[in-house]
Each structure stands twice: as C-alpha cells, then as structure tokens.
Amino acid sequence: MAQESARRSESGLPVERVYGPAVLAGWDPDRKLGEPGAYPFTRGIYPTMYTGRPWTMRQYAGFGTAAESNARYRQLIAHGTTGLSVAFDLPTQMGHDSDAPLAHGEVGKVGVAVDSIEDMRLLFDGIPLDQVSTSMTINAPAALLLLLYQLVAEEQGVAADRLTGTIQNDVLKEYIARGTYIFPPKPSLRLTADIFRYCTAEIPRWNTISISGYHMAEAGASPVQEIAFTLADGIEYVRTAIAAGMDVDDFAPRLSFFFVARTTLLEEVAKFRAARRIWARVMREEFGARNPRSLMLRFHTQTAGVQLTAQQPEVNLVRVAVQALAAVFGGTQSLHTNSFDEAIALPTDKSARLALRTQQVLAHETDVTATVDPFAGSYAVERMTDEVEEAAVGLMRRVADLGGAVAAIEQGFQKAEIERNAYRIAQETDSGERVVVGVNRFRLDEEEPYQPLRVDPAIEARQAERLARLRAGRDRGAVTAALDALRKAAEAAGGEGGADGEHNVLYPMKEALRARATVGEVCGALREVWGSHVPADAF
C-alpha cells in the first residue's frame, strides 16, 4: 500500500516512499504495456531494442568555421561516433549572412557559420555522406541547410535516396521557448509541409522533422509540460501536412522527436514510456494511421545542459552519466551526451571525447543492453508512467481547447506555463529545497581554475572575406533569376502552396543555392514575401 508521499517529482506529482501491488490494482498489462515493438509501444518501438544493436551515439558539435568543425567531426568519427550532429551559429539559425550587421559578435560562437554551399562543402569535406547519419539542429531555415547538404552529396556522387539523417525543422517550439524564428507561423507551417512533400519524393530516408521538447525543458518546462507541449506541436504538424493534401502514412513514419534527459532518472524513464503511448494512440485514433511505423514515437535525447554547473564542473561527468542512463532505460533511438565543461564554454576535444566515452561505457561495459525495457512491471515506474501520461493528456486538452498549438502560442499559453514552472524551480533552488551540488550545497571555498576553449574573434572577418569572394565570382544574373523564381513560388496560393505539391518552394530554393545564393539572401527573399514574426508580447 502506498504510504504518505515524501516528495514530489519534477512535474509536481507525488512520489511515494514505497510502491506495492496495490498501485497497479486493476491495471491491464496488455493495454498499458503490450510487447516491445508493438502497440502501444510503451516498452519500446523495436522488438529487440538494444539487444540487437545499441542506440546511435551522436555528438552535437559545431563552432567557428566550417573547416574547424570538419576537423572536430573527423575526430569524433575516429573515436567511434556513429552519427554527426551539427550545431549552427545564431546568424545561420536566424537566416543572416556572417557579414550582416545583425550577425556582428555572434559569428561562429555557438555553432558553425554556414553562409553558402562553399561552407557546407568544407563542413563535410572528406566525410562520405552515404556512410554517416547527420542531424542538423536548424529550424526556420531548415530547408536551406537540407538542400545545401543534398547539393554537397550530389557533388560527392551520392544519390539523395542514400542520405540518412534529421533536420530539426520545429519552428513552433521557437515561438514557445527558444526565439530563433524568422517568418510568422502560417508561412512557417507551409514551409514545413513543403519539406515533408519534398523529402517524400526526393530524400525518402530523411527524417523531416525532430519535434523538440528539449528546448522547452531548457527554458524551465517540467517533464509533463515537455511531452504535452511537444506532442501538441506534433499534432499541429500532422494536421498541416494532411491539410496540404498528404496522406498521413506517407509522411508520419519519418517524423521524429527530441527530448531532454534529466538527473531524475525514474520520472524520466516514465516520461519517455508515457510519450510513446500517447503518440501511438493519437496517431491511430485521431489521424487513422494504418502503417505501424506511423504510430512509433522515435526520438533523440540530449542530456540536460540546463542542469550542468560552472561550479565544480567535473561533477557534471556524474550528472551526464545518470542522465544518459535515464535516456537508455527510456528507450531512446539516439543520444548526445553533454561535455562536462559546457556550462563554461565550448567543449574541448578532451571533454567531448569523455562525453562519448560515457555512452560507450554504458553500451559495452554495463548490462543495460542485455534486456528490453528492464523497468517493465516496476510498481514505481508503471505508476509514474500512468501519472505522467494522465497529466500530459490533461495539458494537451487545454491546448486543444484553446484551438491547437498555434492558437495557444498566439495567446502565450505554453510560454506562460513554462515560465511559471521555471520560477518555481528557481525559488526552490534559492531556498535550498532543491539541492544543486556545488551551487547551494557542498560548495568549495575557492573554485579550481579551468581553461576553456575560446572561439577566435577573427572568424567573423574571415567569413566576411569569403562572402565577398563568393559574390564577386558567381553569376549575378543567375542568382537574381533564381531568387525571383523563389519569390514567385512563395507568393503562390497566398503563401499556402498548392495541395497537389505545385509551387513547392524547395525546388526553386535548391536552384538558388546551387547558383551560390547565400543563406541570408534566400531568407531575405522569403522575408520580402512572408514578412518576419513579431511576438505579441513585444508590443
């Protein structure tokens, strides 16, 4: 019998001191669990999970110039990374060239600067694109970076149907939690539908979107808020694609998700299991998906950067190991482990290697890959899974009652809920109720010195020089004509595109990039037609 609760979870749900058979009284294992690889996928989306092969080990990396990032990718591959994950700098994420006034001071700082096909060519120099899986954390200009990747693959002689990877392409969470949006929601969703349709026809093995809760968690969302708002965004994307004339089973198997893994291991395992169950039910019951792969919630996980501390940074090695274990127990398909020094600066080569070694130890030195879903039937985890599911579904209903994810975003609902939770966390940390080792307890009188990796500030000038040479050496008339064709496609059908795929902006966009138009020029052409998003609370 459950006893009086000793504490509450990250989502504010009660955590009992002892769980026993009574908490699962009347609990139907066939309905709640099923078998691994079968509906409702609580136990994982594949029958064998890691007993057949481990998860994909990705390391999120990118800084400075394309050449510097390329060197880091080669090192990661040499150390055993099985998937690349590209971080882009803020100007690239916002659709600005490195020589734009708004880019000043940010070039190459939090990711790699990619202004044109020349940078993308350098970024993957010597890396065979038919032998790696590449994830790109890019949202508003996701179509551009995908097309640049495809163009470089063509130069390598790699057919598009051999390319595998993911673009994040989740602009709705930008309006909620992150802020690197460009266009208003309506044309942004039109662009998403165009990407779905383009990849179905041209790059069939590519994951067209990674619907992200990670950044909501970094902004302060609880585990329940993270999956509720992420799945609500997923529902909006599915509705958009169906409204554009696509059959759900044509695109749903290529949808993927991106979640955080916190140090609260048990609730995180419950969160991942609940999310799979909710998504399978929504896809089958609400959208009538028939392909079993359309029901599978496939997801990438990153350990929680927001929980890393600049104080006693080596302690982050322990945090990351626990967080990675939560992701593995939760059934992730790929995993990035943060480096212990990321709360201070960009990771050094050594710290990035240690982060990868953490995954390799879990995969090869522990027994977590020996059996599928080891927590199945656990009194505590099954109860937590049910409670997280119930709370998340309730929050998703509130979003639906407001008119869906976009309408709720326009009313500021998700943002306000996340900020409320973030304030609660901050209060608990300040009061000492929430213990953060090295910050509000177990502190040192004096921190040991640490030498972080710094980005050369001269990168901005070098990127500007590269852009000047590119513009001087290209066919200006071809670029102008290609950008004009892109504008016409963007203007078609009032910015919504044809339901039959006519006026898909990715085709003229690809030709503009092939002609060596820059990321800023392409995004600028679309801004002229679609405008830029201005949040309601900016007034």
Side-chain angles (χ1 to χ4, degrees):
M1 191 69 156
Q3 299 177 10
E4 182 184 354
S5 177
R7 59 184 287 183
R8 289 190 171 271
S9 73
E10 289 284 300
S11 298
L13 302 173
V15 179
E16 308 297 344
R17 289 193 177 94
V18 177
Y19 290 90
V23 302
L24 300 181
W27 190 78
D28 183 349
D30 291 332
R31 185 174 64 86
K32 293 285 190 178
L33 283 178
E35 294 297 323
Y39 186 88
F41 302 103
T42 309
R43 303 197 63 190
I45 63 171
Y46 301 124
T48 58
M49 287 302 289
Y50 311 136
T51 63
R53 65 173 187 175
W55 58 94
T56 299
M57 299 180 193
R58 297 191 185 278
Q59 285 305 109
Y60 183 51
F63 61 93
T65 64
E68 289 174 304
S69 293
N70 174 263
R72 174 65 65 86
Y73 296 154
R74 288 171 180 250
Q75 290 172 349
L76 289 170
I77 291 170
H79 293 315
T81 292
T82 54
L84 298 177
S85 187
V86 184
F88 297 96
D89 70 356
L90 280 176
T92 304
Q93 293 181 49
M94 299 293 290
H96 297 295
D97 290 332
S98 295
D99 59 356
L102 286 173
H104 180 62
E106 290 294 342
V107 177
K109 289 293 179 67
V110 299
V112 60
V114 173
D115 294 315
S116 71
I117 190 171
E118 294 188 355
D119 289 324
M120 188 65 86
R121 192 181 293 133
L122 272 177
L123 188 62
F124 291 99
D125 181 45
I127 299 174
L129 299 187
D130 56 344
Q131 297 178 31
V132 297
S133 170
T134 302
S135 173
M136 293 188 277
T137 302
I138 194 73
N139 294 284
L144 284 77
L145 278 301
L146 173 62
L147 293 170
L148 288 172
Y149 189 84
Q150 184 187 4
L151 287 167
V152 170
E154 290 176 0
E155 293 177 354
Q156 290 186 2
V158 176
D161 62 4
R162 295 169 64 191
L163 297 177
T164 60
T166 305
I167 43 172
Q168 193 163 100
N169 189 30
D170 175 13
V171 73
L172 291 181
K173 65 94 173 44
E174 299 295 331
Y175 304 120
I176 294 172
R178 194 162 176 267
T180 61
Y181 43 72
I182 300 176
F183 316 113
K186 187 175 180 180
S188 292
L189 287 174
R190 175 255 167 101
L191 184 55
T192 298
D194 279 359
I195 292 170
F196 288 179
R197 187 182 292 110
Y198 180 88
C199 287
T200 298
E202 307 290 343
I203 318 178
R205 298 174 65 193
W206 197 267
N207 296 321
T208 52
I209 194 168
S210 179
I211 306 162
S212 176
Y214 180 89
H215 303 94
M216 298 185 205
E218 293 284 286
S222 70
V224 163
Q225 290 174 333
E226 178 193 356
I227 64 169
F229 294 150
T230 303
L231 298 184
D233 285 354
I235 289 169
E236 193 80 38
Y237 291 125
V238 172
R239 286 177 177 157
T240 297
I242 291 172
M246 299 185 69
D247 183 272
V248 65
D249 287 316
D250 286 342
F251 66 87
R254 305 315 305 174
L255 302 178
S256 64
F257 291 80
F258 175 26
F259 296 117
V260 77
R262 301 169 178 82
T263 53
T264 44
L265 188 148
L266 296 181
E267 186 180 18
E268 290 299 288
V269 173
K271 176 192 77 178
F272 295 130
R273 298 168 89 248
R276 275 195 296 269
R277 201 153 69 199
I278 296 169
W279 187 248
R281 187 170 60 247
V282 166
M283 293 304 290
R284 188 168 77 170
E285 297 179 5
E286 183 170 342
F287 294 111
R290 300 171 302 281
N291 184 344
R293 293 184 60 82
S294 298
L295 312 179
M296 296 178 182
L297 184 143
R298 297 171 302 115
F299 65 95
H300 169 70
T301 308
Q302 181 172 335
T303 55
V306 73
Q307 291 188 320
L308 304 186
T309 64
Q311 299 91 336
Q312 301 179 46
E314 293 84 357
V315 177
N316 294 329
L317 287 165
V318 182
R319 293 186 177 105
V320 169
V322 173
Q323 293 162 359
L325 196 57
V328 171
F329 279 139
T332 193
Q333 277 58 72
S334 66
L335 177 61
H336 164 85
T337 33
N338 288 330
S339 301
F340 74 90
D341 51 358
E342 288 188 25
I344 302 172
L346 290 169
T348 62
D349 289 345
K350 182 177 181 179
S351 64
R353 185 170 64 250
L354 282 170
L356 175 61
R357 295 289 183 256
T358 301
Q359 295 198 50
Q360 291 166 336
V361 167
L362 291 179
H364 302 293
E365 293 190 20
T366 75
D367 58 359
V368 299
T369 59
T371 186
V372 177
D373 190 22
F375 277 108
S378 158
Y379 298 136
V381 170
E382 296 297 1
R383 177 62 176 268
M384 287 182 178
T385 301
D386 287 352
E387 290 176 339
V388 169
E389 178 184 12
E390 181 180 358
V393 168
L395 197 49
M396 291 169 70
R397 287 197 191 101
R398 292 180 66 188
V399 172
D401 289 344
L402 291 171
V406 170
I409 287 168
E410 291 172 344
Q411 297 171 63
F413 173 70
Q414 299 98 319
K415 187 172 182 287
E417 290 293 300
I418 290 170
E419 288 174 350
R420 189 175 296 112
N421 192 69
Y423 181 63
R424 174 181 68 86
I425 292 170
Q427 284 184 309
E428 291 174 357
T429 303
D430 290 345
S431 70
E433 179 183 352
R434 176 184 294 266
V435 175
V436 182
V437 173
V439 175
N440 61 8
R441 199 181 296 185
F442 313 114
R443 291 177 290 194
L444 294 176
D445 292 334
E446 185 175 343
E447 290 287 334
E448 299 174 1
Y450 180 76
Q451 184 60 44
L453 176 68
R454 299 295 186 194
V455 173
D456 183 356
I459 284 172
E460 186 172 330
R462 292 202 295 270
Q463 280 295 112
E465 291 170 5
R466 284 173 54 79
L467 280 165
R469 288 197 299 272
L470 177 140
R471 293 187 180 112
R474 68 190 182 182
D475 184 335
R476 186 178 302 176
V479 173
T480 299
L483 291 174
D484 285 343
L486 175 62
R487 291 186 189 93
K488 289 178 182 176
E491 290 168 352
E496 296 180 11
D500 59 357
E502 186 182 3
H503 308 305
N504 187 320
V505 297
L506 268 75
Y507 290 96
M509 187 184 291
K510 183 181 179 185
E511 294 311 307
L513 294 167
R514 192 197 303 277
R516 298 200 292 171
T518 68
V519 168
E521 289 166 344
V522 171
C523 288
L526 293 177
R527 282 188 183 96
E528 290 175 25
V529 179
W530 292 342
S532 299
H533 176 66
V534 179
D537 59 5
F539 293 101

